[in-house]
Amino acid sequence: MDKMLIVSANPHIRSKASVTKIMHMVNLSLIPALFMSYYYFGFKAIFLTLVSVVTAVVTEAGIQKFRKVAVTVSDGSAILTGILLAFNVPPYIPWWIVMLGSFFAIAIAKQAFGGLGFNIFNPALVGRAFMLASWPVEMTSNKFWASPVASFGAKTGPTMDAISSATPLNLVKTALKADPTQETVKIISDAGVSYWDLFVGNVSGCIGETSFLALLIGVIFLMILGYVNWRVPVFYIGSVYLFTWAMGYDPTFHILAGGLALGAFYMATDMVTSPISNKGNIIFAIGLAFFTVAIRIWGGYPEGVSYSILLMNTVVPLINKFTVPKKFGYVKPVKS
Amino acid sequence: MKYTFKGGYHPPDGKEFSEKKSIEKMPLPKIVAIHLHQHIGAPSKAIVAIGDEVKVGQPLSEAGGFVSIPVHASISGKVKAIAKITDAGGSKSNAVIIESDEKDEMFEGVGVKVDYSNFSADEIKKKIAAAGVAGMGGARFPTHVKLSPPANKKIDYIILNGVECEPYLTADDRLMQESPDTIIEGLKLMMKTVDAPNGIIGIEKNKPDSIKVMRDKTSAIDNVSVIELEVKYPQGGEKQLIYAAIKKEVPSGGLPMDVGVVVSNVGTASAVYDAVALNKPFYERVVSVTGESINDPKNVLARIGTPSSELIEFAGGVKEDVYKILNGGPMMGAAMYEMNAPVHKGTSGILCLSKENAKVYTEQPCISCGKCVTVCPLNLLPTDIQLNVQHGKYEEAEKLGLMDCMKCGTCAYVCPSKRNLVHYFSIGQAKINEMKRDAK
Ligand code: SF4
Ligand code: SF4
């Protein structure tokens, strides 16, 4: 037989899993959230997401071409960064800010570190931090937030000055500052917001973060596929509930409001920037909850999810170091 | 109660190709190449010379130390050469080449029934050693050495490994169904040598026929039990099997005897019986010749030293799409450079895989998904160990358990980035061994 046989190390068969498949499934799982953002904020939400995704993909391809390395945009990870970045901006922010943010996320937070797998920080969150630092007004001013469109299809989208309104977190924080004895439920219901609204996403907020429900559907899909370590969201959200409850705040409000769902389901679970072992992930999640609550309650910002994730990203190597699993048949070294 | 271990993964097992095929005797090979060193330990020393006439079962060599065993002629004929021949693992070493006289004449006393009921433990062990019996599951450790624990190690269990968790392979499965009695007798003999009060036969649940046969055959024996193990790779790893059966962890760097166990493959047990009761040395074994790229998958009884190509031919030859041919299973077997590599004592399968199935991937960067960590049966951090080896930080890798790794390949199997983890572990382990040798 003159056929060339192939020789390589074992194992000789491999599973069908691939990075590309994982990334595309994560992208797919964000469709319900994207749909809800369109439902509540109109076409602008889709448009900004598109701007962000296209910028991310073009930036990644461009840099890889320039560095003369393989172009890997088809692995779906740049698309994911694009979507997540757009999900973190207010609906009425000028599109060019999103474009610059997306460029920054890919160029600096991802490619400058060496590309997928080598980045320390979640690229989308670095992009967000960059936008927040450079255009604080556009990123936080009430002018750029919007109340959801009243009903689907009735309008093509609200005009900017008509429906701008503060996010529930901002509202509650301001109100409690003025009078700490007020009940959170009362504050939001005075503003026409119920827990249910918070759950489905019928509130003002960043494009993709408002609907706990849509994000939950997405993450459950990913957990079933085994792409998300359930410990992170469960311990993160669970601890936020516990901490806020222990401190006398409204825990239900705190888990439903703001970007906690998006952060806990999609940003903190980013494989590259989270710890590797289960134990490490639990510690990571509890740390996230601690900083999130601390920023929300004592910090200068109403929301603390993205900063706490970035903060905890920096200690991941440390967590990994201290959570090396005990190997099978471990024997204590004998002291000599 | 579930008998299993923590971690692991069940790849598609491909047993359907050959699990229903009865063991067929191979036609006699015209020529065989029998390596002098086909076990773990010191090579054996040739005692025949070119031109000698040899008969089946005649010793060709003598042990080169305690941890060593002889090899035997597997056909009758003339010693044509003693030369360096490439083995299944790709390295060259001395082999005795015998040309057949096609008479298949037995060496004196070989195959003659012996009354072994009064044999002492030492006599049994001597017989096993003289017959050249080594672990048939793949590791090929001389069996008599395993059965000679130091006096302070009490052996409570002999566990027979009938797990066969490697995908595709069905040799043990068939053997358990077709000659259960010799396996059980072999087990009893082994129990006698180390005075072990209990025997356990572990079989994966996906072999219901074998489980049934072995259960029926052992039902009357008080101290031998059959356990059904969960279907998961690497359930047949020595440490995993012991853990599943008696819930004890073999200490890192230790041996099964440290927890009072000797593990042996079912095939080996059968070879032990042959050696003691039939005075028959280890010169043939059951091999699964299978895979999607072979025309007529089979289980065959082949003489040691038969060129793999003859087994492949006997099984209808390879298909067009053949890509890799392995000696052993797809998870831990060795890819062969040439189809002629002779069958050795550890050859449990000759596997022909297609490109579709055995594709070689380009590595992508690790995305820290942790899948490898979840499946590692030894609870190691495969990705960290690999990166340390890659960057030359061998000591760091060793601290993380590099030397514990049994290269089972489960981590590399599940890795979405298709990292060649095992490849690096081999490099790292070799490097550490080298460093240890140099330090001495
Ligand atoms: S090859 Fe080594 S590191 Fe990988 S799963 Fe097996 S024992 Fe663990
Ligand atoms: S499975 Fe592969 S990609 Fe995932 S952590 Fe392990 S080595 Fe990295």
Side-chain angles (χ1 to χ4, degrees), chain A residues 3 8 12 15 17 226 329, chain B residues 249 252 320 324 330-331 371 418:
Chain A
K3 197 162 174 151
S8 65
H12 304 284
S15 69
Chain B
E249 291 190 18
S252 160
E320 257 312 285
K324 265 189 184 180
M331 296 300 285
K371 280 273 176 294
K418 311 291 173 210

Side-chain angles (χ1 to χ4, degrees), chain A residues 1 3-20 22-23 72 75 114-118 225-229 270-278 281 320-321 323-331, chain B residues 167 239 243 249-252 318 320 322-326 330-333 335-337 339 357-358 360-361 365-371 373 377-381 383 400 404 407 409 412-414 416-420 422-423:
Chain A
M1 193 179 99
K3 197 162 174 151
M4 268 296 281
L5 288 176
I6 303 298
V7 176
S8 65
N10 65 308
H12 304 284
I13 50 173
R14 299 292 185 100
S15 69
K16 298 270 178 290
S18 74
V19 175
T20 309
I22 296 175
M23 292 298 167
T72 60
D75 71 11
L116 181 67
F118 298 103
L225 292 176
Y227 297 161
V228 157
N229 189 334
D270 171 28
M271 292 167 177
V272 178
T273 57
S274 60
I276 199 133
S277 69
N278 290 337
N281 272 308
N320 280 341
K321 214 177 156 148
T323 52
V324 174
K326 200 165 84 183
K327 67 186 180 191
F328 183 93
Y330 175 80
V331 245
Chain B
K239 293 180 173 183
Y243 184 80
E249 291 190 18
V250 175
S252 160
V318 289
E320 257 312 285
V322 69
Y323 187 63
K324 265 189 184 180
I325 298 184
L326 311 177
M331 296 300 285
M332 288 189 80
M336 294 198 283
Y337 288 85
M339 283 227 271
N357 196 18
V360 178
Y361 293 86
C366 168
I367 54 163
S368 314
C369 68
K371 280 273 176 294
V373 181
L378 297 180
N379 225 5
L380 305 173
L381 289 173
T383 170
L400 287 166
D404 287 73
K407 298 192 278 182
Y413 180 85
V414 298
S417 289
K418 311 291 173 210
R419 315 263 317 144
N420 292 322
V422 177
H423 171 72

Side-chain angles (χ1 to χ4, degrees), chain A residues 90 144 167 184 210 301 307:
Chain A
F144 297 93
T167 64
T184 304
T210 60
Y301 292 106
Y307 278 126

Side-chain angles (χ1 to χ4, degrees), chain B residues 50-339:
Chain B
I50 297 169
D52 283 5
E53 296 280 343
V54 292
K55 292 185 176 157
V56 180
Q58 180 176 342
L60 300 174
S61 64
E62 58 185 17
F66 177 62
V67 187
S68 180
I69 38 171
V71 293
H72 301 79
S74 58
I75 54 174
S76 62
K78 203 186 229 150
V79 176
K80 207 180 120 200
I82 299 177
K84 291 214 185 297
I85 299 280
T86 311
D87 65 18
S91 45
K92 271 189 192 290
S93 69
N94 273 328
V96 177
I97 297 162
I98 306 169
E99 215 168 33
S100 174
D101 58 10
E102 289 175 41
K103 294 192 199 125
D104 206 28
E105 270 178 303
M106 290 291 146
F107 188 58
E108 207 190 315
V110 168
V112 180
K113 265 210 163 102
V114 188
D115 175 19
Y116 55 92
S117 51
N118 291 324
F119 279 10
S120 70
D122 274 342
E123 275 170 308
I124 298 173
K125 273 192 269 185
K126 271 204 193 101
K127 283 266 183 194
I128 296 172
V133 181
M136 290 165 76
R140 291 181 277 158
F141 191 74
T143 302
H144 72 281
V145 183
K146 264 194 196 177
L147 295 173
S148 309
N152 60 348
K153 303 268 184 207
K154 170 92 189 74
I155 302 297
D156 302 314
Y157 295 93
I158 300 274
I159 301 180
L160 283 197
N161 192 341
V163 180
E164 207 166 48
C165 59
E166 270 275 9
Y168 292 91
L169 303 185
T170 54
D172 292 346
D173 189 12
R174 291 310 311 181
L175 190 71
M176 285 189 280
Q177 289 170 51
E178 296 179 34
S179 55
D181 298 320
T182 62
I183 296 173
I184 293 162
E185 278 308 304
L187 170 61
K188 285 197 210 152
L189 282 167
M190 282 192 263
M191 286 162 69
K192 188 166 175 189
T193 58
V194 290
D195 201 14
N198 307 293
I200 297 176
I201 304 169
I203 308 172
E204 247 182 1
K205 273 188 183 161
N206 60 357
K207 299 169 190 66
D209 297 338
S210 290
I211 293 172
K212 189 170 176 311
V213 173
M214 293 314 267
R215 281 239 160 104
D216 289 350
K217 294 279 182 185
T218 54
S219 59
I221 314 172
D222 285 342
N223 56 351
V224 172
S225 58
V226 174
I227 55 171
E228 279 179 58
L229 299 147
E230 294 304 306
V231 181
K232 204 164 65 169
Y233 181 85
Q235 182 63 74
E238 212 165 53
K239 293 180 173 183
Q240 286 64 44
L241 176 59
I242 294 171
Y243 184 80
I246 62 166
K247 296 282 171 287
K248 277 192 185 155
E249 291 190 18
V250 175
S252 160
L255 290 169
M257 65 171 72
D258 295 330
V259 291
V261 177
V262 168
V263 178
S264 181
N265 173 271
V266 285
T268 316
S270 170
V272 162
Y273 170 82
D274 289 349
V276 179
L278 300 177
N279 205 13
K280 184 184 153 198
F282 188 173
Y283 62 77
E284 61 184 359
R285 65 159 297 150
V286 182
V287 180
S288 299
V289 190
T290 180
E292 63 276 353
S293 290
I294 195 142
N295 285 312
D296 184 15
K298 280 181 191 308
N299 296 294
V300 302
L301 184 65
R303 302 283 167 99
I304 302 296
T306 310
S308 303
S309 52
E310 285 192 26
L311 278 74
I312 293 170
E313 226 160 87
F314 185 60
V318 289
K319 290 187 189 163
E320 257 312 285
D321 63 352
V322 69
Y323 187 63
K324 265 189 184 180
I325 298 184
L326 311 177
N327 187 300
M331 296 300 285
M332 288 189 80
M336 294 198 283
Y337 288 85
E338 15 177 89
M339 283 227 271

